[in-house]
Amino acid sequence: QHGNPDVPDVFPALKNDTFLRAARGEATSYVPVWCMRQAGRYLPEFRMKRAGQDFFETCRNPAACCELTLQPLRRFDLDAAIIFSDILVVPQALGMDAEMIPGKGPTFKQPLEEPSHLQRLLSPHAARSALFYVHDALRLTRHQLDGLVPLIGFAGAPWTLMCYMVEGGGSTTMSRAKRWLYQYPEESHNLLKILTDTVVEYLVDQVSAGAQALQLFESHAGCLGPSLFMEFALPCLKDVARRVQNGLRQADLPAVPMIVFAKDGHFSLQELSQAGYDVVGVDWTVRPELARELTGGKITLQGNLDPCALYAPKEVLEKKVNKMVSEFGTQRYIANLGHGIYPDAPPEGLGTFVDAVHAISRSLNAC
Ligand code: CP3
């Protein structure tokens, strides 16, 4: 009954729930592992499939998204799948045209330069129906996974989306987006509210389409520093967590674990651990013991191997993984990189990483 909103899908039974158990804080016999951007250009089969295709066109093609999501699972013993899509489909659904320019990255044709430009945006309601293709991709992929591992849905956090909408693309300083926070605080809150409303409905719809966990990407936390983060980013993150779980209850959908990953947001770890999420992601700049201390030792942590460690010789990489797993501990822990895998990472490196996490955590658990 694909695509019929009146008939809920019956999905294949889940065979490996280790990732979900760790996310919920339940005991696991080994540490589950997945990799941010695991569907990506470091895989030759990904480059083949993507060749000659427009990036956002691919995002709008559910069969292509499904295939790209499954590719890394055929090679590696990963404990979760993440749907192939992009955080920028949300600004697009709000009416902003984006292009992926090779070598430059995502680019908006008409960025938001001043508050009057907010009038160009469509309503969260209109955005909701424009995103049906992501839900079709999730539904198809959840069926095709056949219960192998859980399927993760995701969205960009409101502040990170605002960065791209105001900057028009990537930036090292985010100074245009931050200028809004200082010059137009009220209008910034208005924009963040529109994004929060849109992201909440988008994520509830993702669960209805088959997502079994949700991750919020706050990729541009670092440039804010603590005070702007607490004022502009954190309240949105809290709203999203609370309103998504409420929305799921109201729609009679199952509660799903929610993950928040604030890149370079070490200063916010304590607050994030109390923001309504089940899992807090950490990048490689934070020592595991400090992350445990700041988050009170009670929440599940996810991370944090330096993506560049995948370039190391096998034995060096295994040692790094051993140290990381020993320091985080084998419980309430999901192994991952500290950010997305780089396009020039050797695929064997990811294989070594995944197998080492499993082997080392099993042997630590046996002690
Ligand atoms: O993790 C996965 O495998 C799922 C797919 C996924 C993509 N983007 C696919 C993608 C996810 C979860 C994202 C999230 C995303 N997109 C983030 C947050 C994560 C992070 O890295 O901080 C951000 C900031 C974006 C925006 C975006 N999309 C950027 C900055 C780029 C890179 C541009 C470049 O040229 O390097 C993209 C492109 C993108 N998104 C690619 C993939 C596989 C590569 C481009 C391609 O396939 O042609």
Side-chain angles (χ1 to χ4, degrees):
Q1 294 297 335
H2 292 201
N4 183 342
D6 301 325
V7 184
D9 271 66
V10 178
F11 293 115
L14 184 59
K15 295 162 194 157
N16 173 359
D17 67 348
T18 313
F19 163 81
L20 292 179
R21 293 180 59 82
R24 292 190 218 109
E26 297 164 15
T28 60
S29 56
Y30 66 90
V31 168
V33 53
W34 66 283
C35 166
M36 290 186 275
R37 295 283 188 99
Q38 65 192 30
R41 286 168 290 182
Y42 72 103
L43 288 178
E45 60 270 32
F46 178 96
R47 297 195 297 268
M48 285 275 277
K49 177 86 191 159
R50 286 271 304 106
Q53 310 288 313
D54 174 72
F55 178 76
F56 290 112
E57 213 46 70
T58 305
C59 290
R60 282 189 286 269
N61 177 340
C65 293
C66 174
E67 167 60 19
L68 293 169
T69 303
L70 297 179
Q71 282 180 347
L73 300 161
R74 297 193 188 110
R75 278 193 188 236
F76 312 114
D77 195 11
L78 295 155
D79 294 288
I82 180 163
I83 191 68
F84 175 85
S85 185
D86 199 81
I87 63 167
L88 300 178
V89 299
V90 164
Q92 280 185 320
L94 285 164
M96 292 187 65
D97 266 350
E99 259 184 306
M100 192 62 71
I101 303 182
K104 182 165 180 239
T107 308
F108 285 102
K109 289 175 192 147
Q110 286 193 298
L112 303 175
E113 280 162 351
E114 45 166 289
S116 69
H117 292 170
L118 290 178
Q119 287 159 19
R120 293 183 194 149
L121 297 181
L122 303 175
S123 69
H125 182 73
R128 182 178 196 174
S129 43
L131 288 163
F132 69 92
Y133 63 87
V134 180
H135 311 308
D136 288 347
L138 281 161
R139 206 175 284 112
L140 176 64
T141 307
R142 175 84 183 269
H143 280 287
Q144 296 293 315
L145 269 171
D146 197 25
L148 182 68
V149 289
L151 179 58
I152 304 172
F154 70 88
W159 159 249
T160 291
L161 295 178
M162 173 175 167
C163 282
Y164 283 101
M165 292 161 81
V166 173
E167 298 283 341
S171 152
T172 42
T173 58
M174 297 296 155
S175 59
R176 289 194 187 93
K178 287 177 71 181
R179 183 162 71 88
W180 269 58
L181 305 184
Y182 285 105
Q183 279 187 351
Y184 321 122
E186 197 178 318
E187 292 86 350
S188 295
H189 281 298
N190 292 344
L191 172 53
L192 290 165
K193 169 84 166 60
I194 293 170
L195 289 166
T196 301
D197 291 350
T198 308
V199 164
V200 166
E201 302 217 304
Y202 180 46
L203 291 174
V204 172
D205 287 345
Q206 288 192 28
V207 175
S208 147
Q212 290 155 291
L214 298 170
Q215 175 154 322
L216 267 282
F217 284 95
E218 189 70 284
S219 302
H220 299 308
C223 63
L224 289 178
S227 63
L228 289 179
F229 184 87
M230 303 313 161
E231 186 179 348
F232 290 98
L234 184 65
C236 299
L237 287 168
K238 284 184 166 172
D239 269 9
V240 170
R242 184 178 46 81
R243 290 174 55 193
V244 166
Q245 297 295 2
N246 278 342
L248 294 178
R249 257 193 305 277
Q250 274 164 19
D252 261 328
L253 290 163
V256 299
M258 293 184 69
I259 308 168
V260 61
F261 173 60
K263 173 80 190 355
D264 292 321
H266 48 86
F267 50 78
S268 65
L269 284 176
Q270 187 183 354
E271 284 79 5
L272 285 179
S273 71
Q274 297 161 9
Y277 291 82
D278 305 273
V279 182
V280 174
V282 267
D283 63 57
W284 67 91
T285 64
V286 188
R287 279 184 296 110
E289 292 97 333
L290 180 62
R292 283 287 182 209
E293 198 180 305
L294 290 170
T295 55
K298 286 198 206 82
I299 204 159
T300 297
L301 294 179
Q302 174 176 284
N304 76 342
L305 191 80
D306 179 357
C308 292
L310 300 185
Y311 305 131
K314 191 163 187 268
E315 311 74 59
V316 177
L317 176 52
E318 283 169 346
K319 270 201 189 122
K320 293 279 283 183
V321 174
N322 200 328
K323 185 165 187 290
M324 175 180 79
V325 175
S326 308
E327 290 180 6
F328 275 107
T330 63
Q331 302 302 313
R332 291 181 187 270
Y333 176 46
I334 298 164
N336 204 315
L337 301 181
H339 198 195
I341 188 169
Y342 297 140
D344 65 350
E348 320 78 77
L350 185 55
T352 302
F353 170 61
V354 168
D355 292 344
V357 168
H358 286 160
I360 290 157
S361 59
R362 279 189 200 282
S363 73
L364 286 171
N365 274 346
C367 294

